[in-house]
Amino acid sequence: MHNNDDARLGILMLDTKFPRILGDVGNPNTWPFAVKYAVVEGATPEAVVCDDVEPFVQAFVAAGQELVASGCSGIATTCGFLSLIRPRLAAELGVPVAASALEQAPQIQAMLPPDQCVGVLTISARTLTPAHLAAAGAPERTPIQGTDGSSFSQTILGNQPILDVPAARTDLIKAAETLVSDHPDVGAIILECTNMVPYAAAISAATQRPVFSIYSYLMWFHEGLQPGKFGTP
């Protein structure tokens, strides 16, 4: 996995085999800055999203400690469902942790008109619980639409080595259109799943809503870790 000694941002990776196409958080070319990765062995998408993350918490902590020891001053993850363990990661690692795109919900909600709300597009509506939303600071009644059973979800959760990108795009656009059709008051969409980022522009075009993701979150997060320089001040 690509690592850079100058990286301020360390990213905890699930144990995956599916393609990390451009735009995916796990593709180093997605980022306009250096990143470091650490894979948490055994923490597959199905284990974290569909089963129980608890058996892997200490492994996430250990991998995060390695990233911090190597010079990273902030830690992120590659799964929105890990909002559940952000408090423990931050406590153990001693640095800021951006665990889930869902953690943008309070800020996005504050920007919207009072008659609009944030909606969430997730890889698994079946297993995204109120506890995940609460841990991220998202409103309990946040509208949620999943891609459950789609080609996209089957590939990612099944950890399959081949991704049908056009089919995935179609799956996500269809789910997003259902979200805003069922909830016309949704004024902005958060992509819970980090693997949805490559399709964010298509989703925004189809729904005419702003779309936020782990990409938008970590671009903001990294600017705090390593502020841009403007001249000589």
Side-chain angles (χ1 to χ4, degrees), residues 35-222:
V35 298
K36 286 185 180 180
Y37 292 104
V39 176
V40 180
E41 294 186 7
T44 64
E46 184 176 17
V48 171
V49 173
C50 302
D51 296 328
D52 185 5
V53 71
E54 287 301 319
F56 302 101
V57 171
Q58 289 309 308
F60 276 101
V61 169
Q65 288 172 334
E66 291 181 4
L67 289 171
V68 173
S70 72
C72 295
S73 55
I75 299 297
T77 85
T78 60
C79 181
F81 279 69
L82 292 174
S83 63
L84 283 178
I85 68 171
R86 176 175 65 159
R88 283 178 283 176
L89 287 177
E92 293 282 353
L93 301 181
V95 299
V97 175
S100 171
L102 297 173
E103 293 158 8
Q104 298 169 101
Q107 181 182 14
I108 298 167
Q109 184 62 58
M111 294 189 295
L112 293 175
D115 60 343
Q116 293 183 8
C117 66
V118 177
V120 170
L121 194 63
T122 178
I123 196 167
S124 176
R126 180 180 64 85
T127 55
L128 186 67
T129 69
H132 292 95
L133 297 179
E140 182 179 357
R141 296 186 178 180
T142 297
I144 295 171
Q145 177 63 44
T147 57
D148 305 61
S150 68
S151 172
F152 172 79
S153 290
Q154 290 176 2
T155 299
I156 302 302
L157 295 179
N159 214 3
Q160 299 174 9
I162 298 176
L163 172 65
D164 186 334
V165 174
R169 183 186 296 110
T170 297
D171 292 337
L172 294 175
I173 289 174
K174 181 179 178 180
E177 289 177 335
T178 298
L179 174 64
V180 298
S181 175
D182 290 349
H183 304 277
D185 57 337
V186 166
I189 298 172
I190 297 177
L191 307 181
E192 166 277 315
C193 178
T194 64
N195 313 113
M196 293 179 175
V197 178
Y199 317 97
I203 293 168
S204 181
T207 62
Q208 294 298 294
R209 265 71 166 183
V211 174
F212 298 86
S213 66
I214 194 66
Y215 183 80
S216 61
Y217 190 22
L218 296 189
M219 290 292 288
W220 169 85
F221 186 58
H222 185 268

